[in-house]
Amino acid sequence: MYKAAVRWMVRRNIEQLNHGDYRPTLRMFASDATLAFPGDNTWSNMIRPAQFGPDAFVTHRGHDELEQFLQRYVDEKMHMVVDDILVNGPPWNTRAAVRVHHSSTDVDGNVVYANRAVLFVTARWGKLVEQEDYEDTERVAAYDRLLAR
């Protein structure tokens, strides 16, 4: 039952993001939650320069920085379609992997960005404490170049 509730909440929050409302997603994050967004691009460098090494580099920390990320996400009219959600662990150490397609369109409805990603999250008692995104960072860099034009 718990895992089904987690899957429902993830789908509901992604649906809200798709409609331009990031607030339900932001409320799911703990006040000191972290996001590690991969690569060397404008998303990963929003707050601090990306650092490379064997460990995930935290690109966003806390509600203020996560809100900036989510605000940009809805401003750029990103859209996610969930392929699968895997949930494991008890409420005090829940891990979930969410496989998605995500994209953005221009004002004429043409797709200007499309990618696949896996969002890996850790939650404690219903609050997300960590999120790490895995996706094709070359596509992210190409999107950056498109926006720069």
Side-chain angles (χ1 to χ4, degrees), residues 15-87:
E15 191 62 32
Q16 292 297 313
L17 280 171
N18 287 342
H19 287 99
D21 186 3
Y22 66 82
R23 293 170 300 170
T25 299
L26 185 61
R27 282 193 296 271
M28 285 210 51
F29 281 100
S31 61
D32 60 347
T34 62
L35 168 65
F37 193 87
D40 185 9
N41 54 70
T42 60
W43 294 87
S44 62
N45 291 311
M46 286 178 68
I47 309 296
R48 56 191 62 81
Q51 295 179 7
F52 300 97
D55 298 323
F57 175 69
V58 172
T59 57
H60 299 78
R61 182 181 306 279
H63 269 208
D64 290 344
E65 293 180 11
L66 290 164
E67 184 171 19
Q68 289 177 51
F69 184 90
L70 293 169
Q71 181 67 60
R72 179 177 173 194
Y73 188 89
V74 299
D75 286 349
E76 293 192 18
K77 299 187 181 8
M78 289 288 174
H79 182 85
M80 259 190 280
V81 176
V82 175
D83 288 336
D84 201 3
I85 303 172
L86 306 173
V87 181

Side-chain angles (χ1 to χ4, degrees), residues 79-120:
H79 182 85
M80 259 190 280
V81 176
V82 175
D83 288 336
D84 201 3
I85 303 172
L86 306 173
V87 181
N88 198 10
W92 55 89
N93 187 27
T94 305
R95 283 118 27 237
V98 184
R99 187 176 65 191
V100 301
H101 285 84
H102 60 116
S103 60
S104 182
T105 56
D106 63 16
V107 294
D108 297 322
N110 301 309
V111 175
V112 294
Y113 173 74
N115 209 340
R116 291 175 53 84
V118 173
L119 317 175
F120 187 82

